[in-house]
Amino acid sequence: MFARFSFIAVIALLASGCANTSPVLGSKNISYGDTKAVETVTNEFGSTDLQMIAESMTRSLAQSGILQGRPVVQVYDVKNKTSEYIDTREITTSIKTQLMKSGTARFASDNTAMQSQVDQLKLQNQSGLYKKATVAKTGNMIAAKYRLEGSISSIVKRSSDYKDVFYKFSLQLIDVESGLAEWMDEKEIRKTTER
């Protein structure tokens, strides 16, 4: 009886020790929000704009039929032609992620990651640190059939009562060999704030 009681006591002690009783730190005014909810805190470029652009461009490109057979695409940084700071890599990362998840395309190292790829190949092949059977061979990288590039621009108009911001995001898919644009699309967003 004592052994059975001791066993139950040990189990209860272990269970209570595993329970997460730590308090939540931080302000009482902060809460989690829905990441897909429309964000209208300001009329500057925001998370809803990024999501709308990525979803619109991904859908358009996937439905165009140009990406049959999961071709290799190299993505170039989107040019920011606006007067505000916009992390354009996040736009292209969202587009790449959605296309990758849909199985529509494969992606070569982009222009900013290419140096890391080259450095890793050199390290494996020239340092003598790795077993030869496990070393990635040079000359086997897959060249991109297409390159994806674009830009975002804005027109800002102000009056004493309103501020109007018009964003235009343009994206194009170019055949690397021919230089021909095989697909293009635009997404426009207008945000108006009454002062």
Side-chain angles (χ1 to χ4, degrees):
M1 178 81 171
F2 180 72
R4 185 172 174 206
F5 177 74
S6 296
F7 177 74
I8 293 172
V10 168
I11 295 296
L13 183 61
L14 287 173
S16 67
C18 293
N20 184 1
T21 58
S22 57
V24 177
L25 299 176
S27 171
K28 293 179 181 178
N29 296 329
I30 298 174
S31 63
Y32 283 100
D34 180 1
T35 59
K36 294 291 186 184
V38 174
E39 169 264 316
T40 55
V41 177
T42 69
N43 61 4
E44 296 170 339
F45 192 85
S47 62
T48 300
D49 306 319
L50 186 147
Q51 290 168 346
M52 284 193 316
I53 286 170
E55 289 169 9
S56 173
M57 292 295 133
T58 302
R59 187 179 328 104
S60 175
L61 183 52
Q63 291 174 351
S64 72
I66 195 71
L67 297 179
Q68 301 249 336
R70 292 185 66 227
V72 177
V73 178
Q74 186 166 30
V75 178
Y76 283 71
D77 289 339
V78 170
K79 293 178 182 133
N80 182 1
K81 297 179 177 180
T82 71
S83 58
E84 64 184 277
Y85 171 76
I86 297 174
D87 187 352
T88 57
R89 279 195 69 74
E90 284 306 312
I91 299 170
T92 53
T93 298
S94 292
I95 292 169
K96 281 174 62 175
T97 300
Q98 290 181 32
L99 287 171
M100 182 73 82
K101 286 168 78 174
S102 71
T104 309
R106 296 172 295 161
F107 295 94
S109 294
D110 61 26
N111 54 343
T112 55
M114 182 56 82
Q115 190 58 52
S116 297
Q117 176 70 15
V118 170
D119 291 345
Q120 182 59 221
L121 283 171
K122 283 182 182 176
L123 179 66
Q124 288 188 24
N125 284 279
Q126 298 172 5
S127 69
L129 295 171
Y130 300 94
K131 288 183 181 181
K132 289 192 182 212
T134 64
V135 169
K137 308 294 184 271
T138 58
N140 289 325
M141 288 175 56
I142 305 298
K145 177 167 178 50
Y146 299 107
R147 78 175 186 270
L148 189 66
E149 60 187 29
S151 64
I152 185 165
S153 58
S154 66
I155 300 170
V156 179
K157 298 285 186 177
R158 290 182 176 89
S159 72
S160 58
D161 298 328
Y162 293 96
K163 179 180 178 186
D164 181 77
V165 183
F166 174 80
Y167 294 101
K168 184 167 112 174
F169 182 81
S170 303
L171 198 63
Q172 61 182 341
L173 187 74
I174 299 166
D175 185 298
V176 171
E177 186 174 351
S178 68
L180 296 174
E182 297 286 350
W183 169 88
M184 297 174 87
D185 204 350
E186 298 177 337
K187 174 69 178 170
E188 297 174 346
I189 297 170
R190 166 165 266 125
K191 297 171 92 171
T192 305
T193 305
E194 188 172 351
R195 297 179 186 227

